Amino acid sequence: TANSIMSLPALVCVRSMVNGRQVLVRINDRGPFAKNRIIDLSRAAADLLGMLGLGIKQVVLTLPTSKPASCGQ
């Protein structure tokens, strides 16, 4: 997973604006390198979000809510 402004490595919760699903991802790369994108997801993260094959979709990034890191439901 790539993001251009977060410190590396970083954990963020990604929530799909399409279906509300959430997944915790580790940002481990710089990017994305395309304009108007805030994050590039791995295939596994996109699958968990139900976004495979959907192309570019809106998501919300938040910081994990607890330690150990987890996304609020």
Side-chain angles (χ1 to χ4, degrees):
T1 301
N3 179 276
S4 61
I5 60 172
M6 301 288 291
S7 299
L8 297 180
L11 294 175
V12 295
C13 296
V14 180
R15 182 172 53 91
S16 167
M17 296 294 288
V18 175
N19 59 25
R21 291 185 191 176
Q22 295 186 91
V23 65
L24 181 69
V25 298
R26 179 177 44 124
I27 295 173
N28 59 4
D29 193 3
R30 289 288 172 218
F33 299 104
K35 290 183 179 182
N36 301 321
R37 293 187 192 177
I38 60 170
I39 195 166
D40 283 336
L41 293 175
S42 67
R43 182 177 179 85
D47 187 30
L48 289 170
L49 289 170
M51 297 175 73
L52 275 183
L54 295 179
I56 299 169
K57 293 297 174 194
Q58 292 184 334
V59 297
V60 174
L61 303 182
T62 58
L63 296 176
T65 57
S66 62
K67 291 192 179 192
S70 66
C71 296
Q73 301 298 329

